[in-house]
Amino acid sequence: MAGLCTHALLLAACALPCSSLTPPAQVSPPQQQPLSLALNSSDAGLLLDVPVALRVFSVDYHHVQAPFEIVLWIMLASLAKLGFHWSGRVPAVVPESCLLIMVGLMVGGVIYGVRHSAPPTLSADAFFLFLLPPIVLDAGYFLPGRLFFENLGTILWYAVLGTLWNVMGIGLSLYGVCLLTPDTLGDVSLLHCLLFGSLIAAVDPVAVLSVFQEIHVNEQLHILVFGESLLNDAVTVVLYKLFQSFLRMPTISGVDVLLGGCRVVVVGLGGLCLGLFFGLLAALTSRFTSRAQVIAPLFVFLYSYLSYLTSEMLHLSGIMAIVTCAVTMKQYVEANVSQRSNTSIQYFLKMWSSVSETLIFIFLGVSTIQDVHMWDWPFVCSTLLLCLLWRALGVLLLTAVVNKLRRNAVTFRDQFIIAYGGLRGAICFSLVFLIDDFPKKRLFITTTIVVILFTVFVQGMTIKPLVELLEVKKRKRALPTVSEEIHSRILDHLLAGIEDVVGYWGQHYWKDKFEQFNKKYLRRFLIREERQECSSILRVYEELERREQRGEEETPITQVEHCSQERTLILESRPHSRPLLPEEMDSIRRILSRNLHNFNNKQTPAYSRHTLHQESSTDRVRKPLHRRQSLAESSSYPPSAQHGPQGERLELSGSQRNRTGLSRSHTVCSTSPRPEHLDSPDPEPTGQPQREDQGRAAGVDPAPAPPQTPSEHQEPLRRPPKKQLSFAFENEKQA
């Protein structure tokens, strides 16, 4: 902590010349009087500036003032972040945002003590145009799409109705407080209270991300809080601009209120459509970057930022636009650009958003040291209590309604964390400075700063102990395996088929429809041809490899598609399993080389309910399925014992067989059943498959048959090249 303070004080001394992010009114430096020489009467009007003497060394600070100050502030923020992570046990107790605000308070105090004037403040334009877009872009690009869209209804329920509930509740309650204290707050109108309620109800995604990434709550709770804070900002900014327009109008009629409601819808949907357009345009542009991969990451940032600026220019929701653009282009851009370009995009987004977040918290602390504060105990305390009260009531009431429509209900513990995690930050701090001047503007600024400091310090520091105390479900640290990813997609297809059969248009039905539309039209148009027909298992492997390179602790959902013309190989590696033996590795290589060669030239089509009637054939005779053995045990048999006279793998007798279940080890494309003892002699194939089938059909295990050795003159036939559909089973241990 001492090292952190030392860094802050040293850089504060360096930042003393900085008056603001924008250069102040420059004082013209004293200029030397030029020596004017009249050459002749005809050239009397010509003046020549001749220097008195040649300078060897000179300083021109005003020439580099703006970029020099920006670099100093970024250096201060970066060193403060670096000192935080080297401060011992402090990060485990105090959130990073709290320490950064403390550093800003110290820097602002030093500047105020030396200059005897207010330190620089973060302007609203600098925040909304330069610092907020990187954070929102990073959040949208790495948004776990599956979790977000599965909980989209609940997130919109909290973000739209919950925000309206908080704005109206806080605004009307504060107006009642103003009516009760007419001596000090009598000049605050109802529209001013609603305007202040719209900005103070904004849950800041920067503060939420900074705190919730450190406490590692479960995925559903994290996406509910983060998604609500992300869309909550779009709603609050729209409501803020609406009430600000009402304040500038001489009179307000019912038609104006109706038009204001329509404007809210238009602003939100307009930003959504604009972001979708720029996202598709970015994906289409990335398709043609194969010959210039160096500039491929540049289009991701340019199109995203362009969508935000265009929305702000058209007075639409810039937050909705940039989030939609990032979510839309991600899967297509990752498929088009190279692995190095993907890594560059990910690291640059993380670095850009981290620097912006650090600067925001630093300036929150610096801007607190001001001369414009106005204190009023009833208004400040009432605002703080009303923010907590109305948010808690809103979460409880809205969750009681939405739980009747959800399969996975939001528990009371999760509701408490959602209500307690409504942190305020730079969004409301920047909006309060945009209010038009009126007598109580300084009171609004002071109250906003108090609410921000209380939520970040008190709620941000106590939420982690509360999560531990309430035993809220934590997030799994391990990344999902390939088997888990593929099985989850199989269940999605199964549920979509069930919903289609019963005629219920649920989320799986619409998700399956979109996947078909995406595969049939969008991927063909937005992804290069050589990247379209890659194997599903290869896409899963590439996604897991990208996760491992990023080193993320969160588990975004892999976009896995089950192609109707491919079988998938399921390889599940356990973290504590034993290493494979050399003979097992040889068996795996042999099976993979045999079954994955010409993988797309299979004779048996996979099931797809969209192409079932076109590809199914009535005259095709289906061969009986054969029971296979796990890969780890196939090496225990010589090749002669694994193949029967007809080229097929034969089964053991009924006494050596027990109940079979799906294998949870390296089991696909397996060989033959497991023997009772691995060290026993090689088993011989049985010669009574028909009796065994009859016994199984009757529900009774057949009696063990004596082993039969094939005749010496009988030469085993070669396995036919045609591959048939087979399922891998592994015998369980006998009870």
Side-chain angles (χ1 to χ4, degrees):
M1 188 63 183
L4 185 62
C5 298
T6 305
H7 282 307
L9 294 176
L10 289 177
L11 284 177
C14 297
L16 287 179
C18 309
S19 58
S20 63
L21 286 182
T22 57
Q26 298 182 1
V27 180
S28 58
Q31 299 180 356
Q32 298 178 359
Q33 297 294 331
L35 178 62
S36 302
L37 299 176
L39 298 181
N40 49 42
S41 60
S42 61
D43 298 329
L46 296 178
L47 298 178
L48 298 178
D49 295 338
V50 180
V52 176
L54 181 64
R55 294 184 178 181
V56 177
F57 176 78
S58 61
V59 177
D60 190 4
Y61 174 72
H62 296 283
H63 179 63
V64 296
Q65 180 180 2
F68 188 78
E69 292 178 359
I70 293 174
V71 170
L72 279 181
W73 282 111
I74 295 177
M75 183 68 69
L76 169 64
S78 302
L79 288 179
K81 194 179 185 72
L82 187 63
F84 168 76
H85 290 285
W86 281 91
S87 54
R89 296 184 178 181
V90 176
V93 180
V94 183
E96 180 181 342
S97 55
C98 297
L99 283 211
L100 293 177
I101 292 178
M102 292 172 61
V103 172
L105 288 172
M106 289 188 293
V107 172
V110 171
I111 295 176
Y112 186 83
V114 174
R115 296 176 50 187
H116 300 288
S117 61
T121 59
L122 180 63
S123 64
D125 289 338
F127 172 76
F128 282 105
L129 296 181
F130 301 108
L131 296 181
L132 183 61
I135 298 173
V136 181
L137 175 60
D138 173 72
Y141 195 82
F142 295 104
L143 189 70
R146 181 190 179 100
L147 278 175
F148 180 78
F149 288 107
E150 284 181 352
N151 298 276
L152 182 60
T154 307
I155 292 173
L156 291 175
W157 186 259
Y158 286 140
V160 179
L161 293 182
T163 303
L164 290 174
W165 170 273
N166 290 328
V167 169
M168 300 305 295
I170 295 174
L172 294 175
S173 301
L174 285 178
Y175 183 65
V177 173
C178 294
L179 292 179
L180 293 176
T181 55
D183 298 336
T184 56
L185 302 174
D187 53 349
V188 180
S189 63
L190 176 62
L191 282 178
H192 280 106
C193 291
L194 291 175
L195 178 67
F196 182 71
S198 65
L199 68 91
I200 206 65
V203 179
D204 189 37
V206 183
V208 170
L209 273 177
S210 177
V211 173
F212 273 79
Q213 283 181 351
E214 299 177 7
I215 59 179
H216 306 293
V217 294
N218 59 83
E219 292 85 354
Q220 176 178 296
L221 179 58
H222 182 271
I223 199 63
L224 288 179
V225 177
F226 171 65
E228 186 247 344
S229 66
L230 198 62
L231 301 183
N232 167 279
D233 289 338
V235 179
T236 52
V237 171
V238 173
L239 291 176
Y240 174 85
K241 293 181 179 179
L242 178 63
F243 290 131
Q244 196 173 42
S245 301
F246 284 163
L247 276 172
R248 296 170 182 173
M249 296 173 61
T251 57
I252 301 174
S253 61
V255 178
D256 295 329
V257 176
L258 182 61
L259 292 177
C262 296
R263 181 181 175 181
V264 172
V265 178
V266 169
V267 167
L269 294 181
L272 181 69
C273 296
L274 200 61
L276 184 64
F277 169 75
F278 278 100
L280 294 176
L281 192 60
L284 181 62
T285 306
S286 66
R287 178 176 181 176
F288 304 99
T289 58
S290 57
R291 299 185 180 181
Q293 288 287 344
V294 177
I295 62 173
L298 187 62
F299 291 108
V300 174
F301 312 120
L302 292 181
Y303 280 112
S304 303
Y305 194 47
L306 190 60
S307 68
Y308 184 86
L309 295 179
T310 307
S311 299
E312 293 294 323
M313 179 182 65
L314 299 176
H315 296 284
L316 302 176
S317 176
I319 296 177
M320 289 291 297
I322 195 170
V323 170
T324 307
C325 179
V327 173
T328 303
M329 69 179 175
K330 179 184 178 182
Q331 61 169 319
Y332 308 110
V333 169
E334 286 186 346
N336 284 326
V337 302
S338 63
Q339 182 63 37
R340 293 183 177 180
S341 298
N342 271 321
T343 305
S344 302
I345 293 171
Q346 293 160 5
Y347 274 97
F348 188 81
L349 279 178
K350 290 296 182 184
M351 179 207 61
W352 197 10
S353 64
S354 178
V355 171
S356 300
E357 176 185 334
T358 307
L359 281 174
I360 288 172
F361 287 119
I362 290 285
F363 271 100
L364 277 179
V366 172
S367 303
T368 304
I369 311 297
Q370 296 289 334
D371 294 326
V372 297
H373 294 302
M374 178 186 293
W375 189 265
D376 186 83
W377 280 103
F379 190 83
V380 173
C381 296
S382 299
T383 302
L384 192 58
L385 293 176
L386 289 173
C387 288
L388 298 175
L389 177 64
W390 283 104
R391 179 168 178 83
L393 290 176
V395 170
L396 291 176
L397 293 177
L398 294 176
T399 308
V401 176
V402 80
N403 273 343
K404 297 180 179 180
L405 305 175
R406 287 177 58 92
R407 292 192 302 269
N408 300 324
V410 182
T411 63
F412 180 76
R413 297 176 181 178
D414 291 347
Q415 294 177 42
F416 179 81
I417 298 300
I418 293 174
Y420 199 76
L423 308 180
R424 273 65 171 181
I427 295 285
C428 53
F429 183 80
S430 300
L431 290 176
V432 74
F433 279 96
L434 294 178
I435 298 177
D436 297 334
D437 290 333
F438 80 106
K440 299 300 180 184
K441 179 179 178 179
R442 294 190 301 167
L443 177 61
F444 284 3
I445 294 175
T446 303
T447 307
T448 303
I449 292 176
V450 170
V451 172
I452 292 174
L453 295 180
F454 179 84
T455 56
V456 173
F457 278 88
V458 178
Q459 295 180 220
M461 292 177 63
T462 56
I463 192 171
K464 186 174 182 179
L466 286 175
V467 168
E468 300 289 344
L469 180 64
L470 296 176
E471 296 181 353
V472 178
K473 184 180 178 182
K474 294 295 191 70
R475 179 175 51 197
K476 294 188 301 182
R477 296 298 183 92
L479 291 173
T481 61
V482 181
S483 175
E484 293 174 350
E485 295 285 355
I486 295 178
H487 277 82
S488 65
R489 300 298 295 226
I490 292 176
L491 291 176
D492 288 343
H493 282 282
L494 179 61
L495 291 175
I498 294 174
E499 290 180 355
D500 194 13
V501 169
V502 301
Y504 174 72
W505 292 359
Q507 63 175 1
H508 295 91
Y509 173 83
W510 290 112
K511 184 164 60 175
D512 189 69
K513 289 294 185 184
F514 174 76
E515 288 294 335
Q516 292 300 318
F517 177 79
N518 183 34
K519 180 181 178 181
K520 188 175 181 180
Y521 299 105
L522 294 182
R523 290 185 62 88
R524 292 184 180 181
F525 183 67
L526 299 176
I527 298 180
R528 297 201 302 267
E529 296 180 359
E530 63 270 17
R531 298 294 185 96
Q532 291 180 4
E533 299 300 331
C534 62
S535 172
S536 300
I537 192 68
L538 182 60
R539 287 197 297 271
V540 175
Y541 173 76
E542 290 177 350
E543 175 63 22
L544 293 178
E545 185 176 322
R546 282 194 293 267
R547 292 187 205 169
E548 187 174 341
Q549 289 182 355
R550 288 199 304 262
E552 297 178 343
E553 293 185 359
E554 59 268 20
T555 57
I557 301 302
T558 309
Q559 301 297 328
V560 184
E561 293 182 1
H562 289 274
C563 303
S564 60
Q565 301 299 323
E566 296 178 347
R567 296 188 190 100
T568 53
L569 176 65
I570 304 172
L571 295 177
E572 179 181 5
S573 58
R574 295 176 176 271
H576 302 290
S577 60
R578 63 174 180 83
L580 296 177
L581 300 176
E583 56 270 16
E584 295 174 350
M585 294 298 299
D586 294 338
S587 174
I588 291 176
R589 294 191 188 96
R590 188 167 58 253
I591 293 174
L592 290 178
S593 62
R594 182 175 67 251
N595 292 291
L596 295 183
H597 185 64
N598 296 328
F599 193 66
N600 293 324
N601 298 328
K602 303 183 307 297
Q603 301 297 327
T604 304
Y607 166 73
S608 174
R609 63 187 185 85
H610 298 280
T611 58
L612 183 62
H613 300 288
Q614 290 79 3
E615 295 184 1
S616 60
S617 177
T618 55
D619 56 348
R620 181 176 293 137
V621 179
R622 178 177 290 184
K623 291 187 177 182
L625 300 180
H626 293 270
R627 181 171 292 120
R628 304 293 185 182
Q629 178 210 352
S630 65
L631 302 181
E633 297 147 3
S634 61
S635 60
S636 302
Y637 298 90
S640 60
Q642 295 179 3
H643 296 277
Q646 303 300 326
E648 299 290 342
R649 301 180 185 275
L650 302 181
E651 303 175 347
L652 290 179
S653 60
S655 61
Q656 296 177 340
R657 215 170 36 243
N658 200 348
R659 296 180 299 112
T660 58
L662 287 177
S663 170
R664 293 186 56 85
S665 60
H666 306 275
T667 66
V668 217
C669 308
S670 37
T671 53
S672 55
R674 185 193 327 195
E676 293 183 351
H677 303 284
L678 292 177
D679 298 334
S680 60
D682 296 340
E684 298 295 337
T686 61
Q688 297 176 344
Q690 192 171 8
R691 283 181 52 191
E692 292 176 359
D693 293 339
Q694 293 175 357
R696 284 192 298 271
V700 181
D701 288 336
Q708 298 181 6
T709 306
S711 304
E712 297 180 357
H713 66 274
Q714 187 175 3
E715 183 178 358
L717 299 178
R718 298 180 60 185
R719 185 182 182 87
K722 180 178 179 181
K723 299 178 179 61
Q724 61 183 0
L725 182 64
S726 61
F727 295 94
F729 294 100
E730 182 181 4
N731 294 331
E732 299 178 354
K733 295 181 179 180
Q734 296 185 2

